[in-house]
Amino acid sequence: MIFISYLYIGIDDTDSPEGMCTTYLAAHIIRKLKEQDINIVDYPRLIRLNPFARFKTRGNGGVSFKIINDDNAEIAKKIVLDEVSKLSMFDCDNTNPGVIFYEGEITKEMQDYAFRAIYSFITIEEAEEFGKSVGCEIYKFKKGRGIIGSIAAISLPLDDYTYELLAYRIPENYGTKRQIDYNSVIKMDKETFPDTFENVDYSERYIAIEPKTPCPILYGIRSNDVSSLNRAQKIVKVSEPVEDYCIFLTNQHTDMHIQKADNISQMRQFGCYEITVTVKDTPHVIDGGHMFFKVFDETGEIECGAYEPTKNFRNIVSHLRPGDVIKVYGGIGEQHTFNIEKFQVIELNDVEYKNPLCECGKRMTSAGKNKGFKCKKCGKRIKSSQKVSTKISRALNNGQFYETPVSARRHLSKPLCRM
């Protein structure tokens, strides 16, 4: 049996609003390595971390890749560090890159660390201490916050995964309107969905493969397999040069950030959960278009929110009523509100209690506390104060899932087409 030693390389926190992104830097480095006849093993990884992290880059993701650990390893390290130093936009406050080199097996404690980075928070100091304890070679730039995601990106096990093909613009075009043929995107979606997904939000007339920031990415196509990405790429037409493209293996759209909670008291702020609860009150809208309602279980209650960017999803949420049992997926934000990503109806409350009908056909009114009902039309009275249950029609369906639109979906949220 031949033992192959690998050098794992993790990079994070190079994003900036002015135009740099970690995936572009990784693709650029991989190209530089190839020029030196150093090839990476398998696909590079794009790992998204806790979406509620207090300090994070746009998508809060780190990248990693591995090479065979041979005589070229030191050359590879120099290329990585030189390119991070050269391309990172250090003028941006949020650009605090970290680079990790690691040799050896990925251990259980490293995997546990990666899940902590997705479920909760890890400080720079904790990451550095942990990295040193497992033998990582650590390089920090400025604050070096990127070491947190760098270690997670090399350590995370991927039982469920997707792929993303990212095409990159030439630098002269950064910040200008992207020249993408939208009709070709729609054609691609119709011919490759559901093998590719999150391409178009038809309800909002929104092309989801196109970033809305002045970053190097021209477009990104997400898929369950590489062959579908290659097929999709051939269909999409653009009218500007493509500098390069790279396919990443990723934890996007896996619900990896979601933990199962048995009850409300178990949930913590900035965590993401799946929990079964009962609707307490009727959803209502506040200024700004955000919709809120409360849910409860035997341990407490929490406010749920469907925010304005979720558009038509709020109309679906508005059909919930007190007594409905639902399973909600999402996370607890800064205001301690549970931000809903999707929900499943477990059991609808389809019974309404009304005053009884009089023999004359008129709905009766209360005759006073514990005094029964009376009819204002004919004067008839009944002694019973018990209301009558009536089966009502509901716009929602038992067992069905409902999700936010593509335009408002988090990187890690698993769409229904993958469930």
Side-chain angles (χ1 to χ4, degrees):
M1 179 177 176
I2 300 174
F3 174 76
I4 300 176
S5 173
Y6 295 112
L7 173 67
Y8 294 86
I9 301 168
I11 307 167
D12 189 18
D13 245 37
T14 61
D15 286 2
S16 72
E18 290 79 14
M20 181 48 60
C21 76
T22 307
T23 65
Y24 173 77
L25 179 57
H28 179 81
I29 289 171
I30 290 169
R31 190 167 69 245
K32 288 284 185 182
L33 292 174
K34 283 183 179 177
E35 291 171 2
Q36 299 295 320
D37 292 324
I38 303 172
N39 293 308
I40 70 168
V41 178
D42 300 326
Y43 291 96
R45 290 154 51 104
L46 169 57
I47 302 302
R48 301 291 183 182
L49 308 180
N50 185 349
F52 287 100
R54 294 186 193 92
F55 305 104
K56 61 174 186 164
T57 49
R58 284 192 303 269
N60 207 28
V63 299
S64 70
F65 51 89
K66 64 183 180 181
I67 62 173
I68 293 175
N69 190 19
D70 56 16
D71 295 340
N72 288 322
E74 291 305 316
I75 298 173
K77 289 180 182 180
K78 185 176 187 310
I79 290 172
V80 170
L81 295 174
D82 285 350
E83 296 306 317
V84 171
S85 299
K86 189 190 305 180
L87 293 179
S88 296
M89 294 185 172
F90 293 108
D91 291 343
C92 176
D93 290 341
N94 288 334
T95 300
N96 295 282
V99 175
I100 295 293
F101 300 117
Y102 175 76
E103 302 172 22
E105 294 295 312
I106 303 299
T107 64
K108 175 68 163 56
E109 61 180 332
M110 293 174 72
Q111 293 177 347
D112 291 343
Y113 167 96
F115 281 115
R116 276 206 299 134
I118 293 173
Y119 292 152
S120 58
F121 296 116
I122 296 175
T123 65
I124 300 172
E125 295 73 25
E126 287 173 328
E128 187 166 16
E129 182 180 345
F130 177 81
K132 289 177 179 177
S133 74
V134 296
C136 291
E137 192 177 332
I138 299 172
Y139 293 88
K140 295 164 62 181
F141 298 78
K142 290 173 61 180
K143 294 177 183 177
R145 185 175 295 118
I147 65 173
I148 300 170
S150 297
I151 300 173
I154 68 174
S155 304
L156 185 69
L158 290 176
D159 295 327
D160 187 15
Y161 53 84
T162 60
Y163 295 91
E164 182 169 20
L165 184 152
L166 293 170
Y168 299 102
R169 317 181 78 184
I170 59 174
E172 302 92 277
N173 287 339
Y174 293 179
T176 64
K177 178 175 170 55
R178 290 169 172 84
Q179 301 301 312
I180 302 173
D181 182 338
Y182 294 157
N183 289 331
S184 74
V185 177
I186 292 170
K187 180 175 186 289
M188 178 272 289
D189 182 67
K190 292 185 181 302
E191 292 187 15
T192 63
F193 180 85
D195 296 319
T196 70
F197 48 86
E198 308 282 274
N199 300 314
V200 181
D201 186 334
Y202 291 99
S203 64
E204 297 298 324
R205 301 173 64 84
Y206 174 86
I207 301 298
I209 72 168
E210 177 186 14
K212 297 298 179 278
T213 57
C215 67
I217 298 173
L218 177 58
Y219 62 77
I221 306 173
R222 300 170 184 191
S223 177
N224 291 310
D225 60 84
V226 172
S227 62
S228 297
L229 284 181
N230 293 328
R231 188 157 54 98
Q233 185 184 27
K234 291 175 182 175
I235 301 173
V236 173
K237 306 298 181 187
V238 298
S239 301
E240 65 173 89
V242 176
E243 182 186 78
D244 197 5
Y245 76 92
C246 189
I247 295 176
F248 290 88
L249 178 72
T250 175
N251 66 338
Q252 293 175 158
H253 306 299
T254 63
D255 270 356
M256 187 174 277
H257 61 314
I258 300 290
Q259 307 170 71
K260 290 187 178 181
D262 293 327
N263 52 60
I264 289 174
S265 67
Q266 285 184 354
M267 301 195 300
R268 298 290 178 265
Q269 188 181 23
F270 305 121
C272 299
Y273 302 95
E274 163 195 333
I275 185 170
T276 300
V277 289
T278 302
V279 177
K280 183 178 181 180
D281 57 8
T282 302
H284 61 281
V285 177
I286 65 168
D287 290 343
H290 309 310
M291 178 171 284
F292 298 97
F293 63 99
K294 288 182 180 177
V295 297
F296 70 95
D297 66 13
E298 69 279 1
T299 68
E301 64 180 48
I302 190 169
E303 183 178 61
C304 290
Y307 292 90
E308 191 280 333
T310 63
K311 304 301 180 185
N312 190 56
F313 181 67
R314 293 168 301 162
N315 295 334
I316 297 171
V317 170
S318 71
H319 293 298
L320 291 170
R321 67 189 298 264
D324 288 341
V325 179
I326 58 175
K327 183 184 289 184
V328 288
Y329 298 73
I332 302 175
E334 204 162 318
Q335 304 302 317
H336 296 274
T337 298
F338 191 96
N339 299 270
I340 305 175
E341 295 175 5
K342 58 178 169 277
F343 71 90
Q344 182 188 20
V345 174
I346 304 300
E347 186 178 358
L348 290 171
N349 173 17
D350 58 359
V351 174
E352 195 170 70
Y353 290 90
K354 296 182 177 181
N355 293 351
L357 283 172
C358 181
E359 292 175 353
C360 70
K362 179 78 174 175
R363 183 75 62 185
M364 304 181 86
T365 59
S366 173
K369 189 174 181 180
N370 298 321
K371 292 184 178 179
F373 295 95
K374 63 182 179 181
C375 179
K376 288 184 176 179
K377 183 179 180 181
C378 68
K380 183 176 176 63
R381 289 175 174 263
I382 58 174
K383 292 181 179 180
S384 173
S385 297
Q386 189 170 355
K387 293 192 174 187
V388 178
S389 63
T390 306
K391 193 94 166 176
I392 59 172
S393 176
R394 299 294 305 276
L396 305 175
N397 297 312
N398 282 321
Q400 188 164 330
F401 279 90
Y402 301 90
E403 64 183 345
T404 56
V406 171
S407 58
R409 201 164 298 153
R410 297 185 187 278
H411 288 295
L412 279 166
S413 295
K414 181 182 285 191
L416 299 187
C417 67
R418 293 200 73 239
M419 295 181 70

